[in-house]
Amino acid sequence: MTRNKEDYIKEIYKLGGAEQQVNNKQIAEILNVSPASVTEMLGKLQKEELIVYEPYKGTKLTEEGMKAAVTLLRGHRLWEVFLIEHLGYTWSEAHEDAERLEHVAPARLIDRLEKYLDYPAFCPHGNAIPQADGKMRIPKLKSLVEMQAGESSTIRRVTEENDLMDYLQELGIHIGSKVVVEEFGACEGPVTIRVDNTQKQLSYKAAGMVYVDEK
Ligand SMILES: [Zn+2]
């Protein structure tokens, strides 16, 4: 499969395409391509039986498409663990280079990498890493903006967007940090939080992309 096709399959999966139909607009937005190229590519993927595409309804992954997506995510997330733990990468650097490595590493290498890293369950950004059989543990989370002022929880995941990850890392936000939401600014203003006993302010938009334990 070409890298481009693999990226489609992976993004469709991340948009929920294993369980439900994903619409073309969502795919175009996330991959930053025109609706026409999405339609064209979906035709190709359908021919290869990786997806089922119904015009005006959307796209769902076939069993084979799902397997391909899970394999890509598994490689991506294991590489991220390696790059951060062993090569001192930042969050965004690791995400960027894992985007390349996921397309070239054979399954044997990924299995050995997983063993070497001692079977991590989550990537450094908090996303679940699928096991070789495709199983993964997905915890129930909610975003910081779904919390109440005064509520405390633990940071478990951040959205993998490079600018956001750099911003959060500069602020000293870590996966596993204890967090208390102290105050929400009026009209979706800045959110004041306390992380590991230091007060910080986060834009409302960024706070919506940081996830904590649901309870
Ligand atoms: Zn990650």
Side-chain angles (χ1 to χ4, degrees):
M1 215 191 301
T2 63
R3 179 173 172 174
N4 196 18
K5 281 183 188 165
E6 290 185 336
D7 283 337
Y8 268 81
I9 294 293
K10 193 178 67 168
E11 295 307 330
I12 293 167
Y13 180 86
K14 280 158 80 176
L15 288 167
E19 285 105 33
Q20 70 202 37
Q21 286 177 317
V22 174
N23 71 48
N24 289 21
K25 200 172 154 236
Q26 288 174 287
I27 301 172
E29 266 169 23
I30 206 154
L31 285 165
N32 209 3
V33 293
S34 70
S37 23
V38 172
T39 313
E40 194 193 332
M41 178 58 94
L42 294 180
K44 290 184 192 165
L45 294 173
Q46 167 125 291
K47 248 191 207 150
E48 292 180 33
E49 295 180 355
L50 293 162
I51 60 158
V52 179
Y53 169 56
E54 284 184 80
Y56 308 107
K57 280 193 169 172
T59 298
K60 213 177 150 189
L61 294 169
T62 61
E63 186 73 26
E64 204 190 326
M66 220 161 72
K67 270 189 199 153
V70 167
T71 302
L72 286 162
L73 285 178
R74 173 174 156 77
H76 181 99
R77 292 173 182 169
L78 286 168
W79 281 121
E80 287 180 333
V81 176
F82 177 78
L83 295 172
I84 287 178
E85 284 186 4
H86 295 277
L87 303 184
Y89 273 55
T90 67
W91 274 353
S92 61
E93 286 172 342
H95 180 64
E96 230 171 75
D97 285 2
E99 282 292 321
R100 294 162 154 237
L101 292 165
E102 69 185 21
H103 298 288
V104 293
R108 174 173 63 191
L109 173 55
I110 295 303
D111 290 347
R112 298 273 175 92
L113 182 64
E114 182 185 38
K115 188 177 173 205
Y116 175 75
L117 296 169
D118 200 17
Y119 304 94
F122 297 96
C123 86
H125 315 106
N127 282 302
I129 300 176
Q131 297 166 5
D133 60 8
K135 287 203 186 94
M136 60 178 143
R137 190 160 55 91
I138 301 177
K140 281 204 161 47
L141 304 178
K142 64 180 176 185
S143 80
L144 284 179
V145 300
E146 292 171 277
M147 292 174 75
Q148 306 293 323
E151 195 183 339
S152 62
S153 193
T154 304
I155 295 177
R156 296 295 182 198
R157 179 165 82 80
V158 299
T159 301
E160 293 187 354
E161 270 180 29
N162 287 339
D163 291 347
L164 173 77
M165 289 192 285
D166 288 340
Y167 171 70
L168 294 174
Q169 238 182 348
E170 262 167 47
L171 270 175
I173 305 280
H174 303 285
I175 302 297
S177 294
K178 297 272 171 262
V179 60
V180 185
V181 172
E182 298 199 324
E183 198 183 352
F184 288 102
C187 302
E188 301 193 351
V191 181
T192 309
I193 59 174
R194 184 169 287 276
V195 178
D196 299 327
N197 276 322
T198 314
Q199 198 186 59
K200 298 173 196 295
Q201 281 205 328
L202 214 57
S203 73
Y204 189 86
K205 190 178 170 206
M209 296 194 270
V210 175
Y211 297 85
V212 300
D213 286 327
E214 202 176 64
K215 283 189 194 170

